[in-house]
Amino acid sequence: MVAGSLSQEDIDYIREGYRLFEDGDPAFLDRFTPDATLVFPETLPKGGTYGSPWEALEFWNTIGELLDGPHPEPEEFIRDGDRLVVLGHVHGRARATGERVAIRFAHVIRLSGAEGPLSERRYAAFELLSDTAAALAASDGRGAG
């Protein structure tokens, strides 16, 4: 599937976006279209559907309430036309317990176009799929499951 393959430049571009997010640099928002739809698990604090990346800051800001020093680590990248999937873990220290945690995630992204390098595309939609039990355990200290 050559058309869906990612170049090293594409992967570097994706990783750079995660670094911007981790650093609290609002430039990561520039990767989204202004009217992008962002969906987060409703079981998480401030989870739900947002109509723009700026509105979604309400959700992203709550990550700091769950974890000290959240560090997203993208590990796998899959592109098929206008779909991009990033699999990884977010690492941090649970505020409730002080324990180090690694919570699995999948980010499903719809790109603004199917062709060309990612640096020329914007994120038109974003959905977070996550191990919400682990995330909630990190926030309240009860342990997952």
Side-chain angles (χ1 to χ4, degrees):
M1 183 171 64
V2 175
S5 64
L6 290 165
S7 68
Q8 187 58 51
E9 290 79 17
D10 287 337
I11 292 170
D12 291 345
Y13 180 77
I14 296 166
R15 289 187 185 283
E16 178 191 34
Y18 282 88
R19 277 193 299 276
L20 292 170
F21 174 81
E22 181 179 355
D23 293 345
D25 187 333
F28 87 91
L29 295 169
D30 294 340
R31 292 169 187 247
F32 293 87
T33 61
D35 62 347
T37 300
L38 297 94
V39 179
F40 304 99
E42 294 202 9
T43 53
L44 294 179
K46 305 291 185 187
T49 300
Y50 293 86
S52 79
W54 289 99
E55 288 177 15
L57 283 174
E58 184 176 359
F59 173 82
W60 283 316
N61 288 334
T62 65
I63 293 171
E65 296 172 15
L66 301 176
L67 298 174
D68 278 326
H71 167 69
E73 191 170 317
E75 297 159 354
E76 289 185 60
F77 312 92
I78 304 158
R79 182 176 181 185
D80 185 10
D82 71 345
R83 294 277 182 217
L84 173 67
V85 177
V86 180
L87 305 174
H89 288 82
V90 62
H91 301 269
R93 189 170 301 281
R95 284 197 185 272
T97 64
E99 293 179 23
R100 302 245 1 119
V101 297
I103 301 168
R104 290 184 357 209
F105 69 76
H107 294 153
V108 180
I109 301 161
R110 185 170 44 83
L111 303 169
S112 60
E115 302 293 325
L118 288 181
S119 61
E120 296 176 6
R121 301 288 149 250
R122 309 257 317 262
Y123 301 166
F126 175 96
E127 183 175 3
L128 166 65
L129 304 169
S130 180
D131 183 348
T132 57
L136 292 171
S139 72
D140 66 20
R142 287 185 297 191

